[in-house]
Amino acid sequence: MSNYVFKLPDLGEGTVEAEIVNWRVKPGDTIAEDEVIVEVMTEKAAVELPAPVGGRVLSITGTPGDMVPVGADLIVIETGTPATTAAGAPAPAPAAAPAAAPASAPPARRAGANGAEAPAQAPAASARAGRVATSPAIRRRAHEAGIDLQQVTGSGPNGRIVPKDLEAFVARRSQPTPLRPTPKAVPSARASAAATEEIKVIGLRRLIAQRMSEAKRNIPHFAYVEELDITELESLRRHLNRKPADGAPSLTYLPFLALALIRVLRDFPQCNAHYDAERGVIVRHAAVHLGVATQTAEGLKVPVVHNAQELGLWELAAQMRRVAEAARTNKAKREELSGSTITITSLGKLGGIASTPIINAPEVAIIGVNRAVERPLVLEGAIAIRLTMNLSSSFDHRFVDGYDAAAMIQALKEHLEHPATIFIGA
């Protein structure tokens, strides 16, 4: 027997460190080669690291939330081959017995992890004793809730656990038992009010908090809200949805907004730009790489439709839906989560009257959509009920003057209130 030391590899794009998000193994576990052992988060994306060799885990380094530099030891694995490290150098012999599993490590998911002391299992359970097929987000939710995924039945392809499976398991587990509670089992209102819960801010949530704080602290936001009469747009949207193209998604307002924005940015290139703070340079982009702010179970992500200016309405709708769904299911490629030049954000039916969205740095503008509602408006001296919606946008006032921001939104309003103009001169 010998020991293999696996170090944090270079994950590319100038990464010098990564945050440990979730250990999939603990000391004493037996693992197979290529089995995912840990999830880490870089400044760009979440990454699952597989085991380079199979064997028994002797020790792990760090707990969720810890930052680990590239090249630092992550895990020591006992193998049946000559001692090596991930870099090919001899592995140092451990000075002491393997460290105990940290308190935050997830429970073991494999039978036989403790050798002869492991409880016997039925054949059906043994068949599922390997790695459970599911997404990192579901693994994290299960870990935080103290749920062993081996007990959850998956309804996806090849028994993969999907969100509804975990939700159903939690619902069943939370159902009250038929036993009659004793007075001691019923907590008092005072005790319930005094309860607290501490949640460590790690992974994507930590990264979101960091970026939002930096954007709000470093960018002087200028907010601009404008009311739109989208009665004609709604009529066109309904008409097109009655006769969609083959396989095309149902149209929402967002593809129309995106297409109108692409048209408008031709005349306002200063809003389709990045600010490179290190070089003190504004980089204007000819292409529109459209960010689509998307709420996921892990937090806010901004998947990107690259070269959106090359797409028509139906293609744009399909691509916006595709990247948003990929972000929600953790299937988005790394390049699909970076490189946006301007972002659209929407709270959908919860959009409220107005909002002040935070700019997705290094961009200099973000366009927000609020809820569509019917309101009385004065048209040609008479009161009429019209469908209205507000655009709530934010601009980096260092590089986008108030006049230019207002002019751009007014041009966008003109297109959306008279939607036929979106397709003229396309």
Side-chain angles (χ1 to χ4, degrees), residues 17-271:
E17 62 180 3
E19 178 188 3
I20 295 175
V21 176
N22 182 35
W23 278 104
R24 301 277 189 85
V25 299
K26 63 180 179 61
D29 284 352
T30 300
I31 60 176
E33 183 178 352
D34 290 331
E35 178 179 350
V36 175
I37 54 177
V38 64
E39 298 169 36
V40 299
M41 172 74 69
T42 71
E43 290 298 312
K44 298 293 184 180
V47 181
E48 294 182 335
L49 298 181
V53 297
R56 186 171 69 91
V57 177
L58 293 181
S59 64
I60 60 177
T61 302
T63 59
D66 290 349
M67 301 300 297
V68 180
V70 170
D73 293 356
L74 272 183
I75 186 170
V76 179
I77 304 170
E78 184 181 61
T79 70
T81 58
T84 56
T85 67
S104 59
R109 298 192 186 95
R110 52 186 63 76
N114 297 319
E117 296 179 3
Q121 290 185 325
S126 298
R128 298 192 64 209
R131 182 188 170 211
V132 175
T134 189
S135 68
I138 291 177
R139 291 183 192 280
R140 189 171 302 113
R141 289 171 57 193
H143 172 55
E144 292 171 352
I147 295 173
D148 182 359
L149 288 175
Q150 292 285 358
Q151 301 176 11
V152 181
T153 301
S155 62
N158 298 319
R160 183 179 181 84
I161 296 174
V162 296
K164 66 178 183 180
D165 299 328
L166 183 61
E167 293 167 3
F169 182 85
V170 172
R172 290 195 302 271
R173 193 176 69 164
S174 62
Q175 288 178 351
T177 63
L179 298 176
R180 179 178 298 173
T182 63
K184 291 183 179 180
V186 181
S188 66
R190 184 183 298 274
S192 298
T196 61
E197 180 183 9
E198 293 186 357
I199 301 173
K200 192 170 184 179
V201 181
I202 64 174
L204 182 62
R205 180 57 64 185
R206 176 196 62 80
L207 192 59
I208 291 172
Q210 176 183 325
R211 289 180 174 174
M212 289 292 184
S213 297
E214 291 175 353
K216 195 65 176 177
R217 180 172 58 250
N218 297 329
I219 299 175
H221 284 60
F222 164 60
Y224 187 89
V225 181
E226 179 58 279
E227 183 181 57
L228 310 181
D229 180 349
I230 59 168
T231 306
E232 290 184 22
L233 177 62
E234 171 64 4
S235 177
L236 175 60
R237 187 186 73 86
R238 288 179 178 273
H239 174 73
L240 293 177
N241 278 337
R242 283 196 290 269
K243 298 179 180 179
D246 291 341
S250 178
L251 293 171
T252 65
Y253 297 126
L254 288 185
F256 292 97
L257 171 61
L259 197 58
L261 179 61
I262 291 168
R263 306 287 183 256
V264 165
L265 287 174
R266 297 170 181 171
D267 298 324
F268 298 90
Q270 67 269 42
C271 296

Side-chain angles (χ1 to χ4, degrees), residues 292-327:
V292 184
T294 303
Q295 184 63 40
T296 75
E298 297 174 301
L300 186 68
K301 297 181 182 180
V302 185
V304 184
V305 177
H306 289 277
N307 293 303
Q309 80 283 352
E310 298 178 356
L311 305 178
L313 180 67
W314 294 104
E315 295 172 310
L316 199 54
Q319 286 301 309
M320 292 175 73
R321 175 169 295 190
R322 183 189 65 79
V323 298
E325 183 61 22

Side-chain angles (χ1 to χ4, degrees), residues 340-413:
S340 56
T341 56
I342 191 168
T343 294
I344 290 178
T345 181
S346 170
L347 291 176
K349 295 180 180 179
L350 301 176
I353 297 174
S355 56
T356 54
I358 297 177
I359 295 170
N360 181 31
E363 299 167 25
V364 298
I366 184 170
I367 310 300
V369 181
N370 297 110
R371 184 177 64 244
V373 295
E374 288 187 331
R375 291 192 179 97
L377 294 181
V378 177
L379 294 177
E380 300 178 354
I383 295 177
I385 302 299
R386 307 288 286 183
L387 186 64
T388 65
M389 179 178 71
N390 287 350
L391 290 182
S392 297
S393 304
S394 295
F395 300 87
D396 188 333
H397 214 343
R398 295 172 297 179
F399 314 112
V400 181
D401 294 334
Y403 177 87
D404 292 331
M408 191 192 87
I409 296 301
Q410 291 302 320
L412 196 56
K413 174 179 179 176

